[in-house]
Amino acid sequence: YLSEVTEEKRNQLHRQHVATLLTLGEMATGMAHELNQPLTSISFAAQNVDFLLGRQPADVANAQAKVRKIISEAGRASKLVEHMRVFARNERGALVRASWRTALNAASEILSAKLRGCVLHDEVPAGLPDVLGAAIPMEQVLINLIANAVDAYDAQPNAAVRDVTVSASVQGDAVLLRVSDHAGGIPEAALTRVFEPFFTTKAPGKGTGLGLALTFGTITEMGGTITASNANGGAVFEIQLPIATQ
Ligand code: ADP
Protein backbone atom coordinates (compact mmCIF):
# COMPACT_ATOMS: atom_id res chain seq x y z
CA TYR A 1 0.00 0.00 0.00
CA LEU A 2 2.76 2.42 1.02
CA SER A 3 4.75 1.85 -2.15
CA GLU A 4 1.60 2.50 -4.20
CA VAL A 5 1.09 5.76 -2.33
CA THR A 6 4.70 6.78 -2.97
CA GLU A 7 4.39 5.81 -6.62
CA GLU A 8 1.19 7.87 -6.98
CA LYS A 9 2.85 10.83 -5.24
CA ARG A 10 5.84 10.57 -7.58
CA ASN A 11 3.56 10.47 -10.63
CA GLN A 12 1.65 13.46 -9.33
CA LEU A 13 4.86 15.48 -8.81
CA HIS A 14 6.00 14.50 -12.29
CA ARG A 15 2.69 15.66 -13.82
CA GLN A 16 2.92 18.95 -11.98
CA HIS A 17 6.46 19.44 -13.23
CA VAL A 18 5.46 18.76 -16.84
CA ALA A 19 2.51 21.15 -16.43
CA THR A 20 4.88 23.89 -15.34
CA LEU A 21 7.24 23.26 -18.23
CA LEU A 22 4.40 23.28 -20.75
CA THR A 23 2.93 26.56 -19.63
CA LEU A 24 6.42 28.02 -19.31
CA GLY A 25 6.63 27.45 -23.07
CA GLU A 26 3.47 29.49 -23.68
CA MET A 27 4.74 32.01 -21.22
CA ALA A 28 8.18 32.31 -22.83
CA THR A 29 6.59 33.28 -26.16
CA GLY A 30 4.41 35.95 -24.58
CA MET A 31 7.26 37.08 -22.38
CA ALA A 32 9.72 37.55 -25.28
CA HIS A 33 7.13 39.76 -26.94
CA GLU A 34 6.22 41.72 -23.81
CA LEU A 35 9.86 42.28 -22.79
CA ASN A 36 10.75 43.53 -26.21
CA GLN A 37 8.56 46.61 -25.80
CA PRO A 38 10.16 48.05 -22.63
CA LEU A 39 13.63 47.13 -23.92
CA THR A 40 13.02 49.01 -27.17
CA SER A 41 11.76 52.06 -25.23
CA ILE A 42 14.76 51.94 -22.91
CA SER A 43 17.14 51.76 -25.84
CA PHE A 44 15.52 54.74 -27.61
CA ALA A 45 15.35 56.81 -24.42
CA ALA A 46 19.01 56.08 -23.62
CA GLN A 47 20.06 57.21 -27.12
CA ASN A 48 18.05 60.39 -26.55
CA VAL A 49 19.78 61.03 -23.23
CA ASP A 50 23.14 60.58 -24.94
CA PHE A 51 22.15 63.12 -27.60
CA LEU A 52 20.59 65.64 -25.16
CA LEU A 53 23.61 65.61 -22.83
CA GLY A 54 26.02 65.92 -25.75
CA ARG A 55 24.44 69.23 -26.82
CA GLN A 56 26.13 72.57 -26.10
CA PRO A 57 24.74 73.47 -23.59
CA ALA A 58 23.44 70.10 -22.38
CA ASP A 59 19.63 69.82 -22.29
CA VAL A 60 19.50 68.46 -18.74
CA ALA A 61 15.74 68.93 -18.20
CA ASN A 62 14.75 66.82 -21.20
CA ALA A 63 17.46 64.27 -20.47
CA GLN A 64 16.05 63.90 -16.97
CA ALA A 65 12.57 63.23 -18.35
CA LYS A 66 14.03 60.48 -20.56
CA VAL A 67 15.87 58.97 -17.59
CA ARG A 68 12.55 58.77 -15.72
CA LYS A 69 11.05 56.98 -18.69
CA ILE A 70 13.95 54.50 -18.58
CA ILE A 71 13.33 53.86 -14.87
CA SER A 72 9.63 53.24 -15.39
CA GLU A 73 10.14 50.94 -18.39
CA ALA A 74 12.81 48.96 -16.49
CA GLY A 75 10.27 48.59 -13.65
CA ARG A 76 7.73 47.20 -16.09
CA ALA A 77 10.26 44.69 -17.42
CA SER A 78 11.26 43.48 -13.97
CA LYS A 79 7.62 43.03 -12.97
CA LEU A 80 7.23 40.65 -15.91
CA VAL A 81 10.36 38.73 -14.96
CA GLU A 82 9.25 38.49 -11.33
CA HIS A 83 5.95 37.01 -12.45
CA MET A 84 7.80 34.41 -14.50
CA ARG A 85 9.90 33.46 -11.45
CA VAL A 86 6.86 32.98 -9.22
CA PHE A 87 5.28 30.91 -11.96
CA ALA A 88 8.31 28.65 -12.44
CA ARG A 89 8.64 28.05 -8.68
CA ASN A 90 5.08 26.74 -8.76
CA GLU A 91 4.85 25.63 -5.14
CA ARG A 92 1.78 23.53 -4.74
CA GLY A 93 0.85 23.09 -1.18
CA ALA A 94 -2.43 22.69 0.62
CA LEU A 95 -5.53 24.12 -1.02
CA VAL A 96 -6.18 27.74 -0.17
CA ARG A 97 -8.66 30.50 -1.02
CA ALA A 98 -8.08 31.42 -4.62
CA SER A 99 -9.83 33.65 -7.10
CA TRP A 100 -10.67 32.93 -10.74
CA ARG A 101 -10.84 36.72 -11.19
CA THR A 102 -7.17 37.12 -10.23
CA ALA A 103 -6.16 34.02 -12.21
CA LEU A 104 -7.84 35.39 -15.36
CA ASN A 105 -6.14 38.78 -14.99
CA ALA A 106 -2.75 37.06 -14.85
CA ALA A 107 -3.54 34.58 -17.64
CA SER A 108 -4.75 37.26 -20.05
CA GLU A 109 -1.65 39.35 -19.38
CA ILE A 110 0.59 36.39 -20.18
CA LEU A 111 -1.41 35.52 -23.29
CA SER A 112 -1.72 39.09 -24.58
CA ALA A 113 0.66 38.49 -27.50
CA LYS A 114 -0.96 35.18 -28.47
CA LEU A 115 -4.42 36.76 -28.20
CA ARG A 116 -3.73 39.45 -30.80
CA GLY A 117 -6.42 39.16 -33.47
CA CYS A 118 -8.75 37.46 -30.98
CA VAL A 119 -11.30 39.06 -28.65
CA LEU A 120 -11.34 37.80 -25.08
CA HIS A 121 -14.81 38.34 -23.56
CA ASP A 122 -14.21 38.57 -19.85
CA GLU A 123 -17.45 37.70 -18.07
CA VAL A 124 -15.99 36.80 -14.70
CA PRO A 125 -17.71 39.04 -12.13
CA ALA A 126 -15.49 40.95 -9.73
CA GLY A 127 -17.63 39.81 -6.79
CA LEU A 128 -17.31 36.09 -7.59
CA PRO A 129 -16.68 34.07 -4.40
CA ASP A 130 -13.20 32.59 -3.91
CA VAL A 131 -12.81 28.86 -4.47
CA LEU A 132 -10.74 26.28 -2.67
CA GLY A 133 -7.82 25.91 -5.03
CA ALA A 134 -4.36 27.26 -5.79
CA ALA A 135 -3.56 30.47 -7.63
CA ILE A 136 -0.80 29.41 -10.04
CA PRO A 137 -2.33 26.08 -11.17
CA MET A 138 -5.64 27.89 -11.82
CA GLU A 139 -3.77 30.43 -13.92
CA GLN A 140 -2.12 27.56 -15.85
CA VAL A 141 -5.52 25.96 -16.46
CA LEU A 142 -6.86 29.21 -17.97
CA ILE A 143 -3.72 29.64 -20.09
CA ASN A 144 -4.15 26.10 -21.47
CA LEU A 145 -7.85 26.49 -22.26
CA ILE A 146 -7.59 29.95 -23.83
CA ALA A 147 -4.46 29.03 -25.81
CA ASN A 148 -6.25 25.92 -27.15
CA ALA A 149 -9.16 28.09 -28.35
CA VAL A 150 -6.75 30.44 -30.15
CA ASP A 151 -5.00 27.41 -31.72
CA ALA A 152 -8.41 26.15 -32.88
CA TYR A 153 -9.03 29.51 -34.62
CA ASP A 154 -5.61 29.30 -36.26
CA ALA A 155 -6.79 26.05 -37.85
CA GLN A 156 -9.89 27.91 -39.20
CA PRO A 157 -8.47 30.91 -41.05
CA ASN A 158 -11.93 31.79 -42.43
CA ALA A 159 -13.66 32.05 -39.06
CA ALA A 160 -15.99 35.09 -39.11
CA VAL A 161 -15.30 35.99 -35.49
CA ARG A 162 -12.34 35.03 -33.35
CA ASP A 163 -13.56 35.31 -29.80
CA VAL A 164 -13.04 33.39 -26.57
CA THR A 165 -15.46 33.85 -23.68
CA VAL A 166 -14.58 33.18 -20.06
CA SER A 167 -17.57 33.38 -17.74
CA ALA A 168 -18.23 32.30 -14.18
CA SER A 169 -21.21 31.92 -11.87
CA VAL A 170 -22.20 30.37 -8.56
CA GLN A 171 -23.86 26.95 -8.77
CA GLY A 172 -24.91 25.79 -5.31
CA ASP A 173 -21.75 25.42 -3.22
CA ALA A 174 -19.45 25.58 -6.24
CA VAL A 175 -18.20 28.12 -8.76
CA LEU A 176 -18.78 27.16 -12.38
CA LEU A 177 -16.18 28.54 -14.79
CA ARG A 178 -16.82 28.28 -18.51
CA VAL A 179 -14.37 28.80 -21.39
CA SER A 180 -16.02 28.76 -24.81
CA ASP A 181 -15.20 29.65 -28.40
CA HIS A 182 -16.68 29.50 -31.92
CA ALA A 183 -13.72 27.81 -33.58
CA GLY A 184 -15.51 24.77 -34.97
CA GLY A 185 -15.59 22.64 -31.82
CA ILE A 186 -13.92 19.38 -30.90
CA PRO A 187 -14.35 16.60 -33.49
CA GLU A 188 -17.08 14.19 -32.28
CA ALA A 189 -14.68 11.23 -32.13
CA ALA A 190 -12.23 13.25 -30.05
CA LEU A 191 -14.75 14.45 -27.44
CA THR A 192 -14.25 11.48 -25.14
CA ARG A 193 -10.48 11.49 -25.60
CA VAL A 194 -9.35 15.10 -25.17
CA PHE A 195 -8.31 14.58 -21.53
CA GLU A 196 -6.18 11.54 -22.39
CA PRO A 197 -2.44 12.18 -22.09
CA PHE A 198 -0.77 12.59 -25.49
CA PHE A 199 -4.08 12.83 -27.36
CA THR A 200 -3.69 15.62 -29.90
CA THR A 201 -5.11 16.51 -33.31
CA LYS A 202 -2.47 19.17 -33.88
CA ALA A 203 0.40 18.85 -36.32
CA PRO A 204 3.47 16.95 -35.12
CA GLY A 205 5.75 19.33 -33.26
CA LYS A 206 2.85 21.64 -32.44
CA GLY A 207 0.66 19.72 -30.02
CA THR A 208 1.87 17.61 -27.11
CA GLY A 209 -1.53 16.32 -26.09
CA LEU A 210 -0.60 17.00 -22.48
CA GLY A 211 -2.31 20.34 -21.84
CA LEU A 212 -5.80 19.01 -21.14
CA ALA A 213 -4.54 15.87 -19.39
CA LEU A 214 -2.64 18.07 -16.95
CA THR A 215 -5.57 20.47 -16.64
CA PHE A 216 -7.77 17.49 -15.78
CA GLY A 217 -5.22 16.35 -13.17
CA THR A 218 -4.96 19.83 -11.65
CA ILE A 219 -8.73 20.29 -11.30
CA THR A 220 -9.33 16.76 -10.01
CA GLU A 221 -6.57 17.14 -7.41
CA MET A 222 -8.36 20.28 -6.19
CA GLY A 223 -11.56 18.30 -5.71
CA GLY A 224 -13.22 19.80 -8.77
CA THR A 225 -14.60 18.56 -12.07
CA ILE A 226 -13.97 19.50 -15.71
CA THR A 227 -15.98 18.58 -18.79
CA ALA A 228 -15.62 19.22 -22.53
CA SER A 229 -18.51 19.60 -24.96
CA ASN A 230 -19.53 21.46 -28.12
CA ALA A 231 -22.09 24.25 -28.46
CA ASN A 232 -22.78 27.13 -30.88
CA GLY A 233 -20.11 26.03 -33.33
CA GLY A 234 -17.35 25.83 -30.77
CA ALA A 235 -15.85 24.03 -27.81
CA VAL A 236 -17.05 24.54 -24.23
CA PHE A 237 -14.98 23.63 -21.18
CA GLU A 238 -16.74 23.75 -17.81
CA ILE A 239 -14.95 23.60 -14.48
CA GLN A 240 -16.54 23.37 -11.06
CA LEU A 241 -14.53 24.06 -7.90
CA PRO A 242 -15.96 24.24 -4.39
CA ILE A 243 -16.50 27.70 -2.93
CA ALA A 244 -14.03 28.47 -0.11
CA THR A 245 -16.04 28.56 3.08
CA GLN A 246 -13.46 30.21 5.34
P1 ADP B 1 -2.60 19.89 -27.49
O1 ADP B 1 -3.08 21.32 -27.37
O2 ADP B 1 -1.13 19.76 -27.36
O3 ADP B 1 -3.14 19.17 -28.69
P2 ADP B 1 -4.44 19.37 -25.35
O4 ADP B 1 -4.48 18.25 -24.35
O5 ADP B 1 -4.43 20.74 -24.80
O6 ADP B 1 -3.18 19.09 -26.22
O7 ADP B 1 -5.67 19.23 -26.34
C1 ADP B 1 -5.98 17.96 -26.91
C2 ADP B 1 -6.86 18.11 -28.14
O8 ADP B 1 -8.14 18.60 -27.75
C3 ADP B 1 -6.38 19.11 -29.17
O9 ADP B 1 -5.40 18.56 -30.02
C4 ADP B 1 -7.69 19.40 -29.92
O10 ADP B 1 -7.98 18.35 -30.81
C5 ADP B 1 -8.73 19.33 -28.82
N1 ADP B 1 -9.08 20.67 -28.34
C6 ADP B 1 -8.73 21.25 -27.18
N2 ADP B 1 -9.26 22.48 -27.05
C7 ADP B 1 -9.99 22.69 -28.18
C8 ADP B 1 -10.81 23.78 -28.67
N3 ADP B 1 -10.97 24.90 -27.97
N4 ADP B 1 -11.42 23.61 -29.88
C9 ADP B 1 -11.26 22.47 -30.60
N5 ADP B 1 -10.52 21.42 -30.19
C10 ADP B 1 -9.88 21.52 -29.00
Side-chain angles (χ1 to χ4, degrees):
Y1 169 75
L2 270 181
S3 78
E4 257 176 45
V5 170
T6 324
E7 175 73 11
E8 174 51 30
K9 185 79 201 154
R10 213 181 4 248
N11 284 341
Q12 187 184 332
L13 285 174
H14 180 68
R15 283 200 303 273
Q16 288 174 358
H17 188 61
V18 178
T20 309
L21 290 179
L22 279 179
T23 30
L24 271 177
E26 294 282 357
M27 189 132 165
T29 316
M31 209 51 146
H33 184 95
E34 294 301 315
L35 273 180
N36 211 28
Q37 288 173 354
L39 285 177
T40 308
S41 300
I42 288 171
S43 171
F44 271 129
Q47 286 171 41
N48 268 325
V49 171
D50 187 31
F51 169 75
L52 292 165
L53 293 182
R55 272 186 174 173
Q56 288 301 339
D59 186 347
V60 176
N62 274 324
Q64 210 165 26
K66 295 288 171 198
V67 168
R68 283 198 204 102
K69 166 103 178 148
I70 291 174
I71 295 169
S72 111
E73 290 294 309
R76 193 172 137 207
S78 62
K79 204 179 117 207
L80 280 164
V81 172
E82 173 57 20
H83 195 142
M84 180 102 165
R85 269 183 348 108
V86 172
F87 202 89
R89 236 185 278 129
N90 190 9
E91 286 154 357
R92 287 180 205 218
L95 297 181
V96 291
R97 288 186 85 95
S99 144
W100 278 123
R101 186 57 271 155
T102 310
L104 182 57
N105 288 347
S108 49
E109 199 176 308
I110 289 161
L111 285 170
S112 64
K114 191 177 172 92
L115 273 167
R116 235 143 260 169
C118 262
V119 181
L120 180 66
H121 296 296
D122 180 341
E123 295 173 8
V124 175
L128 191 74
D130 285 345
V131 292
L132 203 55
I136 301 293
M138 281 161 60
E139 188 180 318
Q140 289 177 322
V141 162
L142 284 173
I143 292 172
N144 274 329
L145 295 179
I146 299 169
N148 270 345
V150 177
D151 287 344
Y153 280 116
D154 288 345
Q156 310 257 330
N158 298 324
V161 279
R162 288 167 60 94
D163 60 350
V164 186
T165 304
V166 184
S167 62
S169 59
V170 173
Q171 300 275 313
D173 53 6
V175 166
L176 171 69
L177 179 105
R178 206 163 181 271
V179 180
S180 59
D181 60 62
H182 300 98
I186 301 163
E188 209 54 40
L191 260 181
T192 53
R193 302 197 54 201
V194 286
F195 296 113
E196 279 176 23
F198 303 108
F199 176 83
T200 180
T201 59
K202 292 175 191 170
K206 188 137 185 14
T208 59
L210 288 175
L212 287 180
L214 293 159
T215 294
F216 185 89
T218 301
I219 297 299
T220 313
E221 277 157 25
M222 286 177 190
T225 59
I226 176 165
T227 60
S229 58
N230 287 321
N232 305 318
V236 181
F237 288 88
E238 289 190 325
I239 296 176
Q240 298 229 27
L241 280 177
I243 292 175
T245 46
Q246 47 183 336

